[in-house]
Amino acid sequence: MGVINTYFTAPDDETAAATVDDGPALSHAPVLDAVEATVQAGTLMALLSGEPYDRIIGDRTWVPLISDPDHEAAWIVSMPDAFTNALAAATDERLAEVVGPWSETEEFWGAGDPAQLLPMLRDWRALAQTARQRGEGMYCWMAV
């Protein structure tokens, strides 16, 4: 059994949390299926920002749960503004620089292919840019 990680934008935590049952596809927000929000997004943030990974994920504001923690099959987390901003600001050149080292992290089980990950990073960046343009936050719906 795997976990689905779908990223989307929403104007606020309450609106985002309301998508927990049916997923964000019904919220009329742009969506993107991508990687895991805590560790894999954390390693990407470390590469983009130059901050130590342990400091990033050790921060209490890193991907806080905003939906009911007792929900049986899905959860919504809020992506930190620092992550959304760093991703939105990343140039194509910067994404190309970090995708190689990112693909080699242990969370990709040695099977990360930069050629496949780079288009996903560009799409994820576009979602972050949309969030910034709309003055919204970026969120992740995680479902089993």
Side-chain angles (χ1 to χ4, degrees), residues 79-90:
M79 299 307 294
D81 287 340
F83 176 79
T84 304
N85 291 337
L87 189 55

Side-chain angles (χ1 to χ4, degrees), residues 11-66:
D12 54 52
D13 290 357
E14 184 178 333
T15 303
T19 68
V20 72
D21 288 327
D22 297 319
L26 300 177
S27 70
H28 305 291
V31 298
L32 168 71
D33 289 332
V35 298
E36 186 270 332
T38 306
V39 177
Q40 289 175 309
T43 57
L44 178 60
M45 181 63 177
L47 289 165
L48 288 173
S49 69
E51 290 289 320
Y53 169 77
D54 290 336
R55 185 180 309 155
I56 291 168
I57 65 160
D59 186 336
R60 299 180 125 216
T61 62
W62 185 251
V63 295
L65 178 68
I66 62 163

Side-chain angles (χ1 to χ4, degrees), residues 71-133:
H71 196 283
E72 293 184 16
W75 304 269
I76 306 286
V77 296
S78 174
M79 299 307 294
D81 287 340
F83 176 79
T84 304
N85 291 337
L87 189 55
T91 63
D92 278 345
E93 293 78 19
R94 185 69 180 132
L95 293 179
E97 287 172 10
V98 302
V99 73
W102 189 52
S103 71
E104 295 169 359
T105 59
E106 67 181 270
E107 291 76 30
F108 285 107
W109 308 284
D113 180 355
Q116 290 181 349
L117 291 173
L118 188 56
M120 187 271 304
L121 281 180
R122 289 181 180 137
D123 290 345
W124 207 2
R125 176 189 57 195
L127 184 64
Q129 290 170 336
T130 297
R132 293 293 73 125
Q133 291 166 356

Side-chain angles (χ1 to χ4, degrees), residues 3-6 36-38 65 73-77 140-144:
V3 176
I4 299 167
N5 296 285
T6 301
E36 186 270 332
T38 306
L65 178 68
W75 304 269
I76 306 286
V77 296
C140 183
W141 178 69
M142 302 182 306
V144 291

